[in-house]
Amino acid sequence: MLTSVIKVDSQNPNTAFLKDAGEIIKKGGLVAFPTETVYGLGGDAVNPDSSKKIYAAKGRPSDNPLIVHIADFAQLESIVSEVPEAARILAKEFWPGPLTMILKKNEVVPYETTGGLDTVAIRMPSHPVALALIRESGCMIAAPSANTSGRPSPTEADHVYEDLNGRIDCILDGGKVAIGLESTIVDLTDSEPVVLRPGFITVEQIKDVLGQASLDPGIIASDSKIAPKAPGMKYRHYAPKGQITIVSGEDEKVRAYMLDAITSAINQGKKVGLITTDSSVEWPAGTEVKMIGDRADEEAIAANLFGILRDFDRSECELIYSEELRTPRIGTAIMNRLLKAAGHNVVNV
Ligand code: TXA
Ligand code: MG
């Protein structure tokens, strides 16, 4: 299959291109598109064949459900069996935006889209290209992140091309995304809202508007004793081919440990990568140093993480060291992705 790549103006998407892309979705094809979080791989959410194609293109296990992207609230009402008050409140506060809600589905949504579950994940993205594509297609769009299963989510169209060229119809290239971490997922099917995947919108923000909310304990657990509730969160994810070691402790000790470890690895002829926020250190020659962003700028750190993990694969780094990236607001989300990428390999110094 030939994959066409079309450059679109993120703020002012050209309607002719969007119409063509919408036609592809309508006819059961697949289009990758930018959202404010990461690129998505879209297909018609109520067409079971489209969902099957999405799983095949990504190599994704079929028990891992997709998120249905909508452009107005009436679309949500058309695919759920009931609309809890909490959903209305959250939509008013955070939509369009980086929040996904889990609700009870009705018969409109096929099990192919929900991975066999009786619940459905729904999100109204804020990216103008995403919204225009949903409107032009006349469909609700099922879209997982547009990466090969297991790889870091794509934050640029090039990342999508790298993974899915030849496997999908079209990529809409809207440049680098703004947030760089996938949406916060909140489950509203129980009496208390539970965040299944931390993201740019925090548990505290949800608690502020709903009065209650907690983080799924399976997300915080460093071992596999408590299984996460979102099927996708149990899979190995984001991992580059090289082994990541997160070094935790006081700055000075972290620096000393890393200098030592990197020096000896390079002496053994290994290719070594480093994720750091500290530009004041001189690292051993040959280290692939990635300045992820200033420690005070957590949004830059979030936006750069997945791209950096992909860079390490391109340069075939075997060992990767990273600082802990515990930033104040979205640190939970950033560390959730980094810990998964590292297989929870943390050294305390
Ligand atoms: O920011 C995002 O959410 C991006 C963009 C494209 O919108 N999409 C995304 O989709 O990250 P994906 O498929 O990579 O991640 C969806 C996650 C998976 O962990 C999946 O298991 C979970 O949502 N999920 C989907 N439906 C669910 C359901 N009914 N119950 C529990 N978890 C669900
Ligand atoms: Mg994904």
Side-chain angles (χ1 to χ4, degrees), residues 3-9 14 16-22 24 31-34 39 129 157 161 169-175:
T3 302
S4 57
V5 181
I6 298 170
K7 280 221 185 300
V8 286
D9 179 343
N14 176 313
F17 289 156
L18 264 296
K19 246 191 182 61
D20 290 348
I24 295 174
V31 176
F33 60 97
Y39 274 76
V129 173
Y161 188 84
D169 298 286
C170 174
I171 300 171
L172 297 175
D173 178 355

Side-chain angles (χ1 to χ4, degrees), residues 71-262:
D72 61 70
F73 197 79
Q75 289 179 313
L76 176 149
E77 292 171 317
S78 76
I79 56 172
V80 301
S81 62
E82 57 183 307
V83 185
E85 190 50 25
R88 292 188 198 282
I89 297 171
L90 289 179
K92 205 160 175 216
E93 187 75 24
F94 299 116
W95 276 1
L99 181 73
T100 296
M101 301 187 216
I102 310 285
L103 296 170
K104 290 187 181 129
K105 81 175 199 71
N106 67 16
E107 67 294 342
V108 175
V109 193
Y111 283 114
E112 282 79 359
T113 300
T114 65
L117 297 178
D118 287 314
T119 54
V120 59
I122 310 172
R123 172 163 113 80
M124 190 190 293
S126 64
H127 197 292
V129 173
L131 288 172
L133 183 65
I134 297 166
R135 294 203 172 106
E136 289 296 340
S137 69
C139 300
M140 290 170 274
I141 297 185
S145 50
N147 51 281
T148 301
S149 191
R151 295 210 75 203
S153 296
T155 51
E156 296 176 38
D158 273 359
H159 301 162
V160 181
Y161 188 84
E162 191 173 72
D163 283 11
L164 299 176
N165 179 34
R167 307 173 75 92
I168 62 176
D169 298 286
C170 174
I171 300 171
L172 297 175
D173 178 355
K176 192 176 169 182
V177 301
I179 294 178
L181 299 174
E182 309 86 346
S183 61
T184 305
I185 300 178
V186 60
D187 185 348
L188 299 177
T189 61
D190 261 337
S191 50
E192 196 203 344
V194 180
V195 170
L196 307 186
R197 180 173 71 183
F200 190 79
I201 292 170
T202 62
V203 180
E204 291 71 29
Q205 280 177 289
I206 294 173
K207 210 171 173 174
D208 278 349
V209 292
L210 293 184
Q212 53 173 2
S214 62
L215 185 62
D216 175 11
I219 294 298
I220 313 159
S222 63
D223 48 40
S224 51
K225 282 192 199 112
I226 314 173
K229 275 184 80 185
M233 299 303 280
K234 71 175 182 276
Y235 291 108
R236 181 176 178 270
H237 220 227
Y238 314 120
K241 292 174 197 120
Q243 173 62 58
I244 303 182
T245 303
I246 301 168
V247 186
S248 166
E250 284 167 28
D251 286 354
E252 228 163 274
K253 287 187 181 155
V254 168
R255 221 175 290 146
Y257 180 92
M258 284 177 165
L259 272 171
D260 233 38
I262 293 174

Side-chain angles (χ1 to χ4, degrees), residues 245-290:
T245 303
I246 301 168
V247 186
S248 166
E250 284 167 28
D251 286 354
E252 228 163 274
K253 287 187 181 155
V254 168
R255 221 175 290 146
Y257 180 92
M258 284 177 165
L259 272 171
D260 233 38
I262 293 174
T263 306
S264 78
I266 285 184
N267 286 343
Q268 288 166 37
K270 296 229 164 78
K271 188 121 212 323
V272 186
L274 173 71
I275 301 177
T276 180
T277 59
D278 186 349
S279 56
S280 70
V281 185
E282 205 168 309
W283 300 98
T287 315
E288 185 163 331
V289 181
K290 297 286 185 190

